[in-house]
Amino acid sequence: MCGIVGYTGKRPAVPILLEGMRRLEYRGYDSAGIVIYENGGLTLKKKAGMLSVLEETINGSNFTANAGIGHTRWATHGAPTDDNAHPHIDCSGRIAVVHNGIIENYIKLRQWLKAEGHIFQSDTDTEVLPHLIEQFYRGDLQAALLKTMEMISGSYAILAVCHDEPGRIVVARQDSPMVLGLGEGENFIASDIPALLPHTRNTYLLDDGELADVTPGGITVCDKKGVCVNKEVFYVNWEAEQAEKSGYEHFMLKEIHEQPTALRETLRGRISEDGQSVVLNELDIDPAYIKGLRKVFITACGTAYHAGVVGKYVIEKLARIPVEVDIASEFRYRDPIIGPGDLVIVVSQSGETADTRAALREARQRGARVVAITNVVGSSVAREADDVIYTWAGPEIAVASTKAYVTQLTVFYLLAVWLAEQRGTLLVREQEAILDSLKKLPRHIETLLAQSDRIAQLADRYKESHCMFFLGRGLDYAVAMEGSLKLKEISYIHAEAYAAGELKHGTLALVVEGVPVIALATQPELFEKTVSNIKEVKARGAEVIGVAIEGFMEIEEVADQVFYLPATHPALAPILSVVPLQLFAYFAAVARECSVDKPRNLAKSVTVE
Ligand code: AGP
């Protein structure tokens, strides 16, 4: 997520803007910029790289401006370059905008604006905004932004300034956070509270569809029709560090709770308006190549690998293409039988994992086409692959991956339906049913998050366990792998994921009185079998927590505790069943007073072999 700041008042604006941007650095970014009202006009400074690079271009400038806006960019559309950095300006340079979010219909708008004579300087979706405001500007910046809001679809938090209206900052919000700070003869704007705390704790939290007009003398808020809205003052009683986590105790918990938004952002613009097909404009693959595909390979590490195991199941199930999935550090050394006509999918949240990058190069050397699924625009994996499908989860700070996993699964579902459509292996109504269920998942995740207290109680009950088993069949086995890794890496409790049907071939010997087992039983055609496996471990004294789809009540007869998931298409169950497992691991780690966000021995991105 990008960081946005704004100031208008009586003090020098540049130090306030830079301090605010520094306080938002934790959100992750790859370029930064400001625009200020200086000497009767707009002065723009922006650079790729860290804030220090921007500061080098500003130091010694002795700016006296008392108003301006700033931005730290987490790239989504367009690599992190000087031109793609915010703020963006219109043709005349008299209007400047910063933006957080995704303008879904930017391609059509860009085409229309070009036809109207506008010249673009960047590859970003954001740059349509200053040109739209320019197109509609008739002397009132707020009126021009209101018209712009009518034209755009997607998520946005926008700040706009105009050369002809010094000291005025106009703000609009839809789906991306925006907070207004109330001062004495000065006012502040930020995408997140930490940037406001040095100056004020009195704020307005802008709501979706609202627009604010900010000057040193005051703030007025209106709706999309220009009708004034009375806002209540929200007093912030968090300290700065808490504010970076939006009030959550750890980044991991914040990121678990960000999953509904991350999923919505990753789906945004990728399902056709009629809801029947997938739109993946970022894939530039000849349909004949897809039809002639011999095999798909998926390779990744850790959680990304677990996402790949789900990917295998869904691509084979929906697109009927054989899929092999490998841990990247194994893939690169097993002399894989790969060549032209094969598709290799590499998955990496950071896009910098050494083993995954090496596997990517191995695949390309053997002539396969490589598609990357990654969360970081411009990362090594993104640059080296033939095609990239971005997860739009925003920066993931906690070492334990959560929202990245859920958005990786989302991309696999989109890709599986897209492949199925290319190869004609699904009926349109089947595609429609899956995509319709996919769109409902964010709300379902919110339902599950509301059960956190119950999961915390269970985690506390098992926090002293020496080991734990995660069982499942098919897709449930794939999610069991992820649940097991989450518990191990942050609570340090040894855990093992096991194919439920495989237990009796050895590992059942480890199941004795009191051993905790989480059994996933979300797949209708495997439900009875998994219930039998639960009986197997119960008969040896295990304590079982069952996870099933609502309505499959039989599981209550065998499991000690049951978590029900909202009904969804069985293929999509992993996106829901992983949530209680993430929360269980989190609360177990908290109960054991572990370092949740930075577990021992681990790094967020393993850039060495
Ligand atoms: C997952 O919680 C771990 N942090 C780790 O397994 C991680 O998924 C793995 O290192 C891969 O990282 P990547 O997705 O950035 O390539």
Side-chain angles (χ1 to χ4, degrees):
M1 260 88 76
C2 308
I4 288 182
V5 293
Y7 173 74
T8 182
K10 50 197 182 245
R11 291 187 280 162
V14 172
I16 292 173
L17 295 177
L18 292 175
E19 169 61 18
M21 292 154 80
R22 262 191 292 279
R23 285 174 168 270
L24 297 178
E25 281 189 302
Y26 69 90
R27 298 159 68 94
Y29 68 100
D30 43 49
S31 59
I34 63 169
V35 72
I36 52 177
Y37 287 96
E38 182 74 17
N39 297 331
L42 293 184
T43 296
L44 170 68
K45 294 285 184 186
K46 62 179 185 176
K47 293 296 281 180
M50 296 295 99
L51 212 43
S52 54
V53 178
L54 174 67
E55 287 172 319
E56 280 166 25
T57 67
I58 292 173
N59 288 342
S61 302
N62 301 320
F63 288 128
T64 58
N66 301 121
I69 58 179
H71 186 272
T72 52
R73 178 174 183 248
W74 170 268
T76 53
H77 292 67
T81 62
D82 292 0
D83 285 343
N84 287 340
H86 298 206
H88 287 286
I89 56 174
D90 69 324
C91 303
S92 68
R94 301 172 75 85
I95 290 167
V97 168
V98 295
H99 163 236
N100 179 22
I102 294 169
I103 305 299
E104 238 173 86
N105 58 338
Y106 81 99
I107 292 174
K108 283 182 188 165
L109 290 170
R110 200 178 167 104
Q111 289 163 351
W112 175 67
L113 287 163
K114 281 182 174 175
E116 293 288 312
H118 293 266
I119 309 292
F120 284 81
Q121 299 167 16
S122 80
D123 309 325
T124 66
D125 56 324
T126 298
E127 198 186 349
V128 300
L129 296 172
H131 292 289
L132 284 169
I133 294 170
E134 177 188 20
Q135 183 76 13
F136 299 128
Y137 189 75
R138 299 290 181 276
D140 179 351
L141 185 58
Q142 175 167 312
L145 185 52
L146 275 169
K147 273 192 161 303
T148 296
M149 289 165 74
E150 290 170 16
M151 296 286 286
I152 60 180
S153 65
S155 56
Y156 52 84
I158 298 168
L159 300 191
V161 294
C162 175
H163 168 286
D164 304 316
E165 302 182 36
R168 187 185 194 190
I169 303 173
V170 182
V171 187
R173 185 242 148 113
Q174 181 64 47
D175 289 340
S176 292
M178 187 66 86
V179 189
L180 309 175
L182 311 174
E184 298 291 326
E186 59 184 9
N187 287 303
F188 309 82
I189 307 153
S191 48
D192 208 352
I193 283 171
L196 302 178
L197 290 182
H199 311 293
T200 180
R201 290 180 178 273
N202 294 314
T203 66
Y204 287 153
L205 305 180
L206 217 50
D207 290 313
D208 282 346
E210 290 183 342
L211 184 141
D213 186 356
V214 183
T215 61
I219 297 177
T220 56
V221 178
C222 68
D223 63 19
K224 281 184 173 176
K225 297 186 180 62
V227 176
C228 264
V229 173
N230 289 323
K231 299 296 285 184
E232 284 191 15
V233 174
F234 172 75
Y235 181 79
V236 179
N237 57 11
W238 297 334
E239 292 314 316
E241 201 212 334
Q242 256 191 309
E244 286 180 5
K245 298 165 192 153
S246 300
Y248 291 102
E249 190 179 351
H250 298 99
F251 277 112
M252 182 179 177
L253 188 60
K254 176 186 176 195
E255 288 155 9
I256 289 172
H257 283 261
E258 283 177 340
Q259 291 182 127
T261 301
L263 205 159
R264 285 190 187 97
E265 289 305 301
T266 301
L267 284 173
R268 196 178 292 281
R270 289 172 164 165
I271 295 177
S272 60
E273 285 175 14
D274 65 10
Q276 293 182 354
S277 55
V278 167
V279 178
L280 287 176
N281 293 324
E282 49 270 67
L283 288 185
D284 180 20
I285 305 179
D286 181 342
Y289 186 91
I290 298 297
K291 284 190 175 58
L293 260 186
R294 289 183 321 191
K295 183 179 275 192
V296 173
F297 293 79
I298 300 171
T299 185
C301 299
T303 288
Y305 165 72
H306 297 151
V309 178
V310 172
K312 165 187 167 67
Y313 281 105
V314 292
I315 291 174
E316 288 190 338
K317 182 87 175 171
L318 303 184
R320 307 309 296 160
I321 306 173
V323 181
E324 280 189 38
V325 58
D326 283 86
I327 290 171
S329 55
E330 292 295 307
F331 175 86
R332 58 188 293 209
Y333 296 115
R334 71 174 177 82
D335 193 10
I337 303 167
I338 284 188
D342 293 330
L343 183 68
V344 175
I345 302 168
V346 297
V347 189
S348 175
Q349 187 283 131
S350 63
E352 300 302 338
T353 299
D355 286 320
T356 308
R357 290 181 60 196
L360 186 160
R361 286 194 290 272
E362 185 72 24
R364 295 208 69 190
Q365 279 159 13
R366 294 167 184 263
R369 187 170 185 99
V370 177
V371 173
I373 298 174
T374 185
N375 195 42
V376 180
V377 175
S379 60
S380 301
V381 155
R383 288 196 308 273
E384 294 169 24
D386 295 301
D387 303 274
V388 188
I389 307 175
Y390 286 112
T391 52
W392 287 328
E396 189 176 68
I397 311 292
V399 166
S401 187
T402 51
K403 62 177 182 174
Y405 175 76
V406 160
T407 53
Q408 288 160 359
L409 295 191
T410 303
V411 169
F412 270 118
Y413 290 122
L414 291 168
L415 189 55
V417 172
W418 184 83
L419 288 168
E421 188 168 7
Q422 302 285 324
R423 295 165 61 93
T425 53
L426 272 183
L427 297 173
V428 171
R429 68 168 184 277
E430 289 173 315
Q431 289 177 199
E432 198 168 9
I434 293 170
L435 297 177
D436 186 52
S437 296
L438 202 47
K439 286 186 281 192
K440 291 173 182 165
L441 290 180
R443 232 182 9 257
H444 290 339
I445 293 177
E446 286 160 355
T447 306
L448 290 170
L449 293 173
Q451 298 185 49
S452 294
D453 290 347
R454 191 167 153 237
I455 295 170
Q457 287 163 11
L458 275 176
D460 192 65
R461 174 184 171 80
Y462 294 111
K463 67 186 177 187
E464 299 308 331
S465 305
H466 296 294
C467 74
M468 190 155 195
F469 286 99
F470 290 75
L471 304 183
R473 288 170 175 261
L475 281 171
D476 286 330
Y477 176 37
V479 177
M481 293 178 189
E482 177 57 13
S484 158
L485 175 61
K486 287 281 105 33
L487 187 67
K488 281 184 283 192
E489 68 174 326
I490 62 171
S491 76
Y492 314 142
I493 295 173
H494 180 71
E496 193 167 358
Y498 232 82
E502 186 63 9
L503 263 179
K504 52 187 169 299
H505 299 288
T507 305
L508 194 58
L510 294 177
V511 179
V512 295
E513 191 65 31
V515 167
V517 173
I518 291 185
L520 300 163
T522 70
Q523 301 301 298
E525 78 278 7
L526 297 168
F527 180 76
E528 294 301 336
K529 292 281 185 191
T530 307
V531 167
S532 303
N533 297 134
I534 293 173
K535 289 175 185 169
E536 269 178 359
V537 294
K538 281 297 291 175
R540 276 78 181 178
E543 295 188 15
V544 178
I545 300 168
V547 178
I549 301 287
E550 64 188 15
F552 286 77
M553 312 286 280
E554 187 188 339
I555 195 168
E556 288 178 27
E557 293 164 21
V558 292
D560 300 286
Q561 296 281 342
V562 179
F563 274 100
Y564 286 110
L565 309 175
T568 186
H569 191 290
L572 306 183
I575 285 192
L576 299 181
S577 59
V578 75
V579 175
L581 308 190
Q582 293 169 338
L583 289 169
F584 184 90
Y586 171 77
F587 288 117
V590 169
R592 292 165 63 95
E593 299 179 2
C594 296
S595 170
V596 173
D597 286 335
K598 296 177 181 168
R600 67 188 180 204
N601 310 339
L602 302 180
K604 181 58 185 170
S605 178
V606 183
T607 55
V608 294
E609 278 202 42

